[in-house]
Amino acid sequence: MNKKITRRSFIETTGKTSMAVAFAPSILKGSIHTNIGFTQQPIPYSYNALEPYIDAQTMEIHYSKHAATYTKNLNDACVAEKFDSTKNSLESLLSSISKYSAKMRNNGGGHFNHEFFWETMKGGGPDSPKQKTLAAITQDFGSLDAFKNQFADAAKNRFGSGWAWLIKNTNNKLVVISTPNQDNPLMDIAEVKGIPILALDVWEHAYYLKYQNKRADYITNWWNVVNWDIVEKRLS
Ligand code: MN
């Protein structure tokens, strides 16, 4: 009897201990926490997988140069500003980003946004929205076309560099927004906050080699590489 109680209290105690060290759930698939700081996950397909819509050279430079630099600079900022990335999630950093430097804001956003972006795409398309996604989009936008138009407008009208997003806002409603630079809707400084569901990078580095000044064509073609399975998972 005593032994059982002891064993049970042991399990409860250790259970609580592991809860205490567990990280807040990450929106990104896989763990972004390692003991050496924030890291880029391997891109989940080859650089040429999104051809002909996004070319291999753009993907390679985008992932291995631009995005890699955001990750490196984020880790540098974490050291300089004493943010312990082994104990705290990227989401928690973003939700209090106003307390940190512009370098932290730009690169913390840059790291999160790109990791999210690679996961949002896949080759072998085009595919279509899955059941829950289509139902939610139809409910909140009227139709898939209405949503796509609104999203494309947000992406086209973002002046300079930034992102277009589909998010679930704090009222649990799907809305389209756009953010400047590397800001995102998880940041406490965001005009509209929410959970990211879908994101499109409209920085020139994301499309210029193939599309030059034709951002609208890039946006139209991008629907062919959207990973709707991931979108469905994020909505659940
Ligand atoms: Mn980018």
Side-chain angles (χ1 to χ4, degrees):
M1 186 73 179
N2 266 350
K3 267 186 186 167
K4 271 186 191 164
I5 289 166
T6 308
R7 181 170 154 74
R8 188 173 165 184
S9 357
F10 173 77
I11 291 165
E12 280 178 358
T13 311
T14 48
K16 272 177 199 151
T17 309
S18 37
M19 281 297 285
V21 296
F23 297 116
S26 172
I27 288 168
L28 297 171
K29 187 182 72 187
S31 177
I32 46 173
H33 305 283
T34 72
N35 55 6
I36 54 159
F38 296 118
T39 52
Q40 263 192 311
Q41 296 300 304
I43 203 161
Y45 36 77
S46 57
Y47 290 136
N48 65 3
L50 310 182
E51 298 258 14
Y53 311 110
I54 301 181
D55 60 290
Q57 194 186 9
T58 295
M59 287 303 293
E60 181 169 3
I61 296 170
H62 199 177
Y63 177 83
S64 69
K65 305 288 185 215
H66 293 282
T69 303
Y70 295 126
T71 307
K72 186 201 171 292
N73 290 342
L74 168 62
N75 285 315
D76 291 349
C78 285
V79 172
E81 297 174 47
K82 300 186 172 33
F83 179 86
D84 186 348
S85 59
T86 65
K87 294 205 175 105
N88 301 286
S89 69
L90 180 56
E91 285 85 348
S92 74
L93 172 65
L94 297 173
S95 69
S96 58
I97 202 71
S98 60
K99 295 179 187 148
Y100 296 90
S101 67
K103 179 174 178 175
M104 189 76 100
R105 175 174 169 176
N106 290 335
N107 294 287
H111 176 67
F112 178 91
N113 296 352
H114 286 87
E115 293 287 290
F116 189 84
F117 185 54
W118 312 132
E119 233 181 39
T120 303
M121 301 185 288
K122 66 163 188 180
D127 199 0
S128 6
K130 308 300 164 193
Q131 200 182 359
K132 264 184 213 161
T133 307
L134 190 60
I137 284 177
T138 306
Q139 182 180 308
D140 290 335
F141 295 95
S143 69
L144 180 61
D145 280 347
F147 156 66
K148 281 186 171 178
N149 287 336
Q150 209 174 309
F151 189 90
D153 282 346
K156 270 182 260 180
N157 296 333
R158 164 51 52 195
F159 184 77
S161 298
W163 292 75
W165 303 87
L166 173 67
I167 65 167
K168 200 188 259 188
N169 72 9
T170 43
N171 296 323
N172 233 17
K173 195 175 165 350
L174 290 179
V175 292
V176 165
I177 61 159
S178 86
T179 53
N181 305 313
Q182 295 296 354
D183 286 359
N184 71 41
L186 294 172
M187 292 180 170
D188 58 350
I189 46 82
E191 239 172 83
V192 183
K193 293 182 211 27
I195 308 292
I197 305 295
L198 187 73
L200 175 58
D201 187 343
V202 294
W203 282 59
E204 283 187 347
H205 69 222
Y207 63 86
Y208 204 85
L209 288 179
K210 184 177 172 70
Y211 294 94
Q212 295 84 45
N213 60 316
K214 299 184 281 286
R215 187 193 281 189
D217 292 353
Y218 160 68
I219 296 165
T220 304
N221 278 344
W222 182 72
W223 294 112
N224 294 307
V225 297
V226 170
N227 184 342
W228 290 105
D229 289 316
I230 281 283
V231 172
E232 183 88 348
K233 217 177 273 178
R234 288 171 181 162
L235 267 178
S236 310

